[in-house]
Amino acid sequence: MRFPLSALVLLAALLPARAQAQDTCPDRSAYEPAREIIRDLGKIVAPNGVQETYAARIGGIDQWLSVRGQDRDNPMVLFVHGGPAAPIMPSQWQFQRPLEEYFTIVNYDQRGAGKTYNSVAPDSIADTIHIQRYVDDAIEMAEYLRKRYSKRKLILMGHSWGTVVAMHAALKRPDLFHAYVGIGQVVNTRENERISFEYGLQQAQAHGNAEAIREMGTIAPYPGTTPITRERIVIARKWPQFYGGLTAFREDSTYYYRAPRLSPEYSDRDRCAIDAGNVFSLGRLLDEFLQVDFTGVKEFPIPVVMFMGRHDYTTPSAPTERWLRQVKAPYKRGVWFEHSAHMMPWEEPGKTLVSLLEQVRPLAVEGDAGR
């Protein structure tokens, strides 16, 4: 069994610093012929298209971003990736190309993640690894993009951990955004942990998995009143995701973990920075992340659309559905992905595209028309 990314990150965070150190990165040059094919296929050749990868000065450091679209006049999406420190840039080639026909998509490697991790000495930003700093970065990034690409407003989209950052950004600066799209939304971290654990235990019992039952029993009741430590989270996440809570109907997600090997955007050094950034960021953010709770948000200032995986037990969808039902917003929609867990854009890319076209793009087009 392969551990899901979140469990791998947590396990790595428990290792001594000496064990985490990597003097060299694996040589992935053998993949270059395949990367060249993907690079050529993904090349934006439309006359009014945009394809740029560069570093911008955001939050006092260089943060790397990718901007791609077939028509720069299309609505622009600012995508806030998950993790912490799990950048989308090295896997965007797997699902994003159809979206680029209708949107200009911006992915950026957050502080402590991927290419951005490599752009600054980690020790120099260690004290800045707090949720509020990520929120301020997202807002500053949105302002930068508006100016550079002459956009009045953007569509804000977050996935997993990124929904924490993006929700706060939308609440703080609604004037910057046409709409907010949450994918695998975090509403209440402790509630998510409880639901996820209960699902994993139920599945283990149904499948007669003695190893899982024994292991989960060592941390029950979870989360309970005992502190949620890294060690407890590793066990709590391991089995729900083994039973399809990360990618539906799969016990692992090799397609995602190995995507960076074929990424035209990433060098070997960048690929190594993914794990290094995970370890660097997670321990510093864990306590704050465990306190996340949006249940008290009763009004949302901009249109909100939630993409919910029917089988998502990484950030379970039930709390999101309940929150969406009670919140007041100018426009709100919930879209269920019946064949997905947590990785909806990868698992159901067609439905992702159709849902964005039906539920979100009109909000941006109408918003720009009414300026």
Side-chain angles (χ1 to χ4, degrees), residues 21-307:
Q22 288 185 316
D23 296 328
T24 60
C25 293
D27 179 4
R28 303 297 187 193
S29 58
Y31 290 89
E32 184 54 32
R35 284 196 290 266
E36 184 54 41
I37 294 171
I38 294 170
R39 182 180 295 112
D40 184 60
L41 177 65
K43 187 184 301 181
I44 302 292
V45 296
N48 200 39
V50 56
Q51 179 180 353
E52 299 178 322
T53 302
Y54 59 93
R57 198 72 177 174
I58 302 294
I61 64 172
D62 287 342
Q63 300 196 32
W64 280 82
L65 60 156
S66 164
V67 184
R68 295 179 50 87
Q70 295 285 348
D71 186 343
R72 61 179 62 237
D73 294 330
N74 277 332
M76 176 171 277
V77 173
L78 175 58
F79 196 113
V80 185
H81 68 67
I88 290 291
M89 205 183 299
S91 63
Q92 66 187 22
W93 64 270
Q94 293 185 317
F95 68 86
Q96 186 175 286
R97 192 163 170 263
L99 304 182
E100 295 166 3
E101 298 177 29
Y102 302 94
F103 304 91
T104 298
I105 310 289
V106 180
N107 287 293
Y108 72 102
D109 287 6
Q110 298 163 22
R111 63 177 57 227
K115 295 169 82 73
T116 298
Y117 177 85
N118 280 334
S119 71
V120 59
D123 289 347
S124 70
I125 63 167
D127 291 341
T128 73
I129 304 301
H130 296 286
I131 289 176
Q132 188 55 56
R133 179 66 262 181
Y134 284 84
V135 174
D136 292 341
D137 285 349
I139 290 171
E140 189 173 338
M141 181 68 76
E143 292 176 324
Y144 168 84
L145 293 169
R146 290 171 69 209
K147 182 177 181 180
R148 178 172 176 131
Y149 296 97
S150 301
K151 298 294 183 180
R152 190 173 71 91
K153 293 185 180 182
L154 312 177
I155 296 166
L156 181 62
M157 190 181 307
H159 178 230
S160 195
W161 147 261
T163 65
V164 175
V165 176
M167 276 275 277
H168 279 300
L171 289 166
K172 187 174 182 179
R173 288 294 307 277
D175 57 297
L176 297 175
F177 307 111
H178 289 294
Y180 169 64
V181 182
I183 305 173
Q185 178 69 44
V186 177
V187 171
N188 181 292
T189 302
R190 292 185 66 90
E191 177 72 354
N192 283 352
E193 293 298 310
R194 181 189 65 78
I195 295 171
S196 179
F197 179 83
E198 290 178 356
Y199 169 78
L201 185 58
Q202 290 167 0
Q203 290 297 308
Q205 292 169 339
H207 288 84
N209 188 332
E211 178 189 358
I213 294 169
R214 178 196 60 77
E215 198 168 46
M216 297 185 82
T218 65
I219 64 169
Y222 182 84
T225 57
T226 304
I228 304 178
T229 62
R230 295 181 183 88
E231 293 88 347
R232 297 182 79 214
I233 291 179
V234 169
I235 296 171
R237 294 287 182 87
K238 174 181 175 181
W239 295 107
Q241 295 186 5
F242 175 77
Y243 286 111
L246 183 64
T247 299
F249 318 118
R250 291 178 183 243
E251 65 182 47
D252 59 34
S253 302
T254 303
Y255 68 90
Y256 172 72
Y257 302 127
R258 296 185 178 179
R261 299 185 184 188
L262 293 174
S263 171
E265 305 283 358
Y266 263 44
S267 67
D268 284 345
R269 184 168 176 265
D270 296 330
R271 282 181 276 277
C272 284
I274 298 174
D275 288 345
N278 289 153
V279 173
F280 171 74
S281 303
L282 184 64
R284 293 174 171 85
L285 288 166
L286 181 57
D287 288 344
E288 292 182 23
F289 179 65
L290 292 172
Q291 302 305 314
V292 169
D293 183 3
F294 289 111
T295 56
V297 177
K298 304 300 183 182
E299 295 187 13
F300 206 72
I302 59 175
V304 55
V305 179
M306 294 296 186
F307 289 1

